Amino acid sequence: CIDACDSVMDKIGRPRGLIRYGSQASVLDRKPTRFLRVRTFVYPALVAVLLAAFVVLLVTRAPAFVSVLRGPGAPYAVLEDGSVTNPAKIKIQNRTGESVSYTMTVSNAEGGLVRSMEPAVVVEPGETVSEPVLLSVPRSVFTGGRFEAAVTITGADGFEKTVPHEMMGPKNAGRGAGSDGGAS
């Protein structure tokens, strides 16, 4: 449009620039156009910061994402041996390019374990597996019906993450099995 308008203005003997790129200051106030403005530096700097943040997040990303969720059913059960179990679901997302085998343990309770159908969970690259498990700890670790378990997930590739999970259990650790209202 600018070139077409300039050629028409040349033919009729009028000054060029009826249609042009410009600001109100350059067109009406006849001030010179400034190319070095604050936004000329701020916008590229902002894009560079966002790009750097993206690269940092991409490079420091963990090889797996792990979460421990409360399972369905009764909140806990007291077993005959005196241990307390809580149903849970452990979700593992493999962010690597290889299949990885993960094992699970309760690391902050003497005698605590994770009961699962398989001793290790194999997760394919880019997949997410949700494994139903029973978290089992001795009855004596509960205080006021709660215990902050530390569930440790260890991958065959060297990955290790400890996730806190609040377990529910008997309010009084000294009472007999089944007398506290929980499922036995």
Side-chain angles (χ1 to χ4, degrees):
C1 289
I2 293 172
D3 293 337
C5 181
D6 284 345
S7 67
V8 168
M9 295 302 270
D10 288 341
K11 288 180 186 175
I12 62 172
R14 298 282 186 161
R16 295 174 138 224
L18 181 62
I19 299 176
R20 63 179 174 243
Y21 291 107
S23 65
Q24 181 177 347
S26 68
V27 174
L28 298 179
D29 301 336
R30 304 274 188 223
K31 292 182 181 175
T33 302
R34 291 184 351 223
F35 289 103
L36 297 177
R37 299 181 208 162
V38 174
R39 75 178 98 173
T40 307
F41 298 105
V42 171
Y43 292 154
L46 186 62
V47 169
V49 167
L50 291 174
L51 184 61
F54 175 72
V55 168
V56 166
L57 287 174
L58 193 61
V59 169
T60 61
R61 184 173 91 155
F65 174 77
V66 176
S67 65
V68 180
L69 307 169
R70 196 167 307 283
Y76 69 92
V78 180
L79 302 180
E80 289 180 15
D81 66 356
S83 63
V84 177
T85 63
N86 278 204
K89 253 186 197 176
I90 297 179
K91 288 179 76 174
I92 304 170
Q93 180 185 36
N94 181 358
R95 295 177 174 173
T96 67
E98 308 173 351
S99 293
V100 180
S101 176
Y102 295 94
T103 57
M104 303 159 281
T105 59
V106 176
S107 58
N108 68 334
E110 185 72 32
L113 35 104
V114 177
R115 299 172 193 231
S116 177
M117 298 296 271
E118 299 292 329
V121 178
V122 177
V123 184
E124 298 299 322
E127 296 284 321
T128 300
V129 171
S130 191
E131 181 73 14
V133 298
L134 288 175
L135 302 177
S136 180
V137 295
R139 184 180 184 136
S140 60
V141 300
F142 287 91
T143 305
R146 306 240 183 247
F147 172 65
E148 190 71 28
V151 180
T152 301
I153 291 83
T154 307
D157 62 349
F159 171 81
E160 183 174 299
K161 176 150 185 172
T162 300
V163 180
H165 178 71
E166 185 176 56
M167 292 181 66
M168 299 169 79
K171 291 194 189 294
N172 184 348
R175 293 196 296 188
S179 64
D180 52 23
S184 359

